[in-house]
Amino acid sequence: MKKPLMQEHLDPFFKYQVMKEPGGEKLALCFACDTCTLSCPVRVQEEAYQPRTIIRLILLGAKQEVLTDPVIWLCASCFQCQERCPQGVGVTDLINAVKNIACREGFIPKSMTMQMGLLAKHGRLLEIGDFENKKRDKQQLPLIKEQPEDIQRIIDLSGAARYLPQESE
Amino acid sequence: MKKAAFFIGCTVPVRGTNYEQSFREVARVLQIELVDHPGFSCCGFPTHAINRMTALALSARNLALANQVSLSSMITLCNACTENMTHTNHLIQHDPVTCDEINRILSQIHLQYHGEVKVKHAMRYLYEEIGLDTIRASVKNPLSNLRIAAYPGCHYTKPSELYEGFDNPEKPHTLNELVIATGASIVSYESSCCGGGTLGAKEDTALQMGIQTLKSMKENEADAIVLICPFCDVMFEQNQKKMEKLYGKEFNLPILYYPQLLGLAMNIERERLGLTINRIKLDKVLEKIQSGNKE
């Protein structure tokens, strides 16, 4: 059982913060029918992951609970909830907006900073060096040269440089 | 001859070269000129959950590069690339504020982009631009002995608001039709997300998600799974052994990427279809094709 939420811990402005975030605009349309949770393939395996509960917690103002709970990162982005929502809440986009806010507020999972680090280093998620190119050449596929410079620029210009792994990591 | 930018993303050129090689081969037969661009990078999808604008600007950069060399069409192999690039196009065309923001970033690397390039997943391209009739006509060796579980994956049809009425998000059928065009038959099964999107956050949950679908494919006696996304391959092929261990039963379900299946039906030499790269042995599938020829 989760601990009861105390009123002094609730942030009544959290819902407005989510609605201002791209993807979160239609939060208030939710009428709590539970179609999202019942459609969710993650929920079949993980009782803790319930999109409707996340939406209700946001509306209630449980900012810390939502942003720090690792379950938001279980969303597979399969869009099944978004397809079926009768109110057009855009549930998958909304969960993604919550993840963006969580990162900005300092709750970014390590796997995410690692991904950002790989992109900055290689311009792609998987390294392509001599070894990979040799294999590509054997299959008569064109060789690929990593060009991370523009990617680093975009990470910087889009405000994501702070999500890169720290030197010590 | 049709012509399109060929966007292979991050995962395919390293872990899915069988997919890439076989698509290049069938594209040649179907007279699609695929143009590689040396500047293409990651589509941006991996950054979407962290910082949306990074994802949008990264995909807009790739689209701007294609536009710069006057390509108005882009073919993608990965479902995630398809979704992210189509999403970016959609926002650029319908959301002027986001469009300005993206172009403010692009201008710093001397690019601009206003939605000129049409993105289509390679299989959607085959279905819509080449057509089933042409594909059927290219088949020299109908694979009539094979029972295939066709698995299109989530982002091939979803979110449907991005895909202009293409296919049906609840009951996808275009990949089935493409498979049937090779002469193979389709098995129906209960489909669910492969779990790929959850793998980084919690492996066991992701594997359990994948098991649901593999179980149903096996029960319905599929000979092989046909895939069109490298992330679905990470789950259904590269993690199949782990799923078997967790489930306590063997699946032994080989996978083929769709262009590998089509290539076999076209009688393209096997070594040109990257079949040796497939991790789960295809011996039984190939035997079945062989015995079908004799009948």
Side-chain angles (χ1 to χ4, degrees):
Chain A
M1 260 300 266
K2 281 197 170 174
K3 275 190 277 180
L5 290 167
M6 306 308 277
Q7 198 176 3
E8 62 263 34
H9 296 144
L10 299 178
D11 177 353
F13 300 106
F14 183 43
K15 55 182 176 289
Y16 302 121
Q17 186 185 0
V18 172
M19 284 191 271
K20 255 194 249 162
E21 190 75 20
E25 300 91 342
K26 289 173 255 166
L27 169 73
L29 291 176
C30 173
F31 58 17
C33 71
D34 214 21
T35 302
C36 50
T37 298
L38 293 169
S39 299
C40 177
V42 178
R43 166 66 179 77
V44 176
Q45 309 303 333
E46 280 284 340
E47 184 123 24
Y49 182 75
Q50 306 206 12
R52 179 179 73 160
T53 306
I54 295 172
I55 292 173
R56 299 329 286 177
L57 284 169
I58 297 168
L59 289 165
L60 195 62
K63 182 172 177 176
Q64 288 302 309
E65 282 74 10
V66 170
L67 296 184
T68 59
D69 194 337
V71 297
I72 56 172
W73 296 94
L74 292 181
C75 170
S77 289
C78 74
F79 287 102
Q80 191 75 297
C81 53
Q82 185 145 326
E83 288 296 327
R84 292 183 181 169
C85 174
Q87 284 290 90
V89 170
V91 186
T92 316
D93 290 342
L94 186 134
I95 300 290
N96 196 69
V98 172
K99 289 176 183 169
N100 273 218
I101 296 172
C103 290
R104 210 174 305 132
E105 306 253 342
F107 308 113
I108 179 168
K110 206 168 172 202
S111 60
M112 292 290 139
T113 51
M114 273 171 56
Q115 282 193 12
M116 200 59 99
L118 287 169
L119 281 186
K121 194 169 173 196
H122 305 292
R124 36 182 69 246
L125 214 47
L126 298 170
E127 179 179 0
I128 298 196
D130 292 344
F131 176 74
E132 290 76 17
N133 270 324
K134 230 177 241 167
K135 277 172 50 183
R136 290 182 60 78
D137 193 41
K138 237 173 143 181
Q139 277 180 273
Q140 296 175 347
L141 299 172
L143 304 188
I144 293 172
K145 188 175 178 290
E146 288 183 356
Q147 296 177 331
E149 299 78 15
D150 276 2
I151 310 313
Q152 288 160 6
R153 288 278 287 152
I154 286 180
I155 288 173
D156 199 20
L157 291 161
S158 60
R162 60 177 164 154
Y163 303 127
L164 290 168
Q166 302 303 308
E167 294 292 331
S168 57
E169 283 181 42
Chain B
M1 192 88 170
K2 293 190 180 278
K3 189 173 175 180
F6 192 37
F7 188 82
I8 55 178
C10 299
T11 310
V12 169
V14 180
R15 291 204 198 154
T17 49
N18 45 352
Y19 188 16
E20 180 188 345
Q21 188 182 15
S22 57
F23 188 74
R24 287 182 192 274
E25 290 295 329
V26 301
R28 195 172 302 140
V29 176
L30 297 170
Q31 298 206 310
I32 309 164
E33 184 187 346
L34 300 173
V35 184
D36 292 280
H37 193 300
F40 283 160
S41 66
C42 169
C43 77
F45 183 80
T47 65
H48 196 247
I50 309 168
N51 193 49
R52 168 182 172 269
M53 188 46 68
T54 313
L56 298 177
L58 286 175
S59 54
R61 175 186 165 274
N62 292 306
L63 291 160
L65 290 176
N67 185 45
Q68 216 176 29
V69 292
S70 305
L71 292 164
S72 57
S73 187
M74 177 183 277
I75 291 178
T76 47
L77 289 179
C78 166
N79 284 5
C81 299
T82 312
E83 192 267 330
N84 193 45
M85 309 269 254
T86 311
H87 183 211
T88 303
N89 260 341
H90 184 84
L91 289 173
I92 282 181
Q93 286 156 356
H94 296 98
D95 177 350
V97 178
T98 304
C99 178
D100 284 352
E101 174 97 349
I102 292 170
N103 275 293
R104 187 186 57 77
I105 295 171
L106 289 185
S107 67
Q108 301 288 314
I109 53 171
H110 315 294
L111 289 171
Q112 53 168 318
Y113 181 66
H114 293 95
E116 295 90 342
V117 181
K118 177 83 193 166
V119 177
K120 282 191 183 183
H121 187 287
M123 305 318 133
R124 180 179 175 190
Y125 193 92
L126 293 185
Y127 190 86
E128 290 187 334
E129 306 291 329
I130 304 301
L132 290 172
D133 288 340
T134 308
I135 292 170
R136 256 182 242 116
S138 74
V139 169
K140 294 183 181 145
N141 172 29
L143 309 174
S144 44
N145 256 7
L146 284 189
R147 291 170 57 80
I148 296 294
Y151 187 85
C154 299
H155 294 175
Y156 180 61
T157 57
K158 293 181 287 196
S160 58
E161 69 216 52
L162 294 181
Y163 293 130
E164 308 148 314
F166 170 69
D167 213 328
N168 177 341
E170 290 286 349
K171 266 187 164 233
H173 56 85
T174 58
L175 185 61
N176 286 352
E177 292 176 60
L178 286 164
V179 168
I180 291 166
T182 68
S185 56
I186 289 294
V187 302
S188 34
Y189 61 92
E190 267 181 61
S191 182
S192 172
C193 168
C194 72
T198 302
L199 190 64
K202 202 168 178 193
E203 187 180 66
D204 266 18
T205 307
L207 295 175
Q208 291 289 3
M209 287 167 72
I211 287 171
Q212 299 309 309
T213 305
L214 283 184
K215 211 168 80 180
S216 180
M217 288 169 171
K218 191 71 187 174
E219 280 164 8
N220 288 289
E221 296 172 344
D223 294 318
I225 310 169
V226 159
L227 297 179
I228 59 171
C229 170
F231 282 105
C232 300
D233 184 71
V234 166
M235 294 307 294
F236 288 143
E237 191 184 31
Q238 298 170 43
N239 275 301
Q240 196 178 116
K241 275 268 165 295
K242 276 191 186 168
M243 289 186 206
E244 289 173 338
K245 220 172 155 191
L246 205 59
Y247 182 55
K249 242 185 183 169
E250 231 179 54
F251 293 117
N252 195 18
L253 265 173
I255 78 103
L256 284 164
Y257 279 110
Y258 178 74
Q260 293 186 302
L261 184 84
L262 180 57
L264 285 166
M266 285 172 165
N267 260 344
I268 294 174
E269 293 160 72
R270 289 182 179 178
E271 51 270 35
R272 303 187 77 89
L273 297 173
L275 295 172
T276 54
I277 311 263
N278 295 41
R279 291 162 179 85
I280 299 170
K281 288 235 173 333
L282 288 163
D283 300 1
K284 273 194 182 154
V285 171
L286 297 176
E287 253 171 53
K288 252 190 140 174
I289 294 175
Q290 210 77 36
S291 66
N293 290 350
K294 280 180 210 145
E295 277 168 21

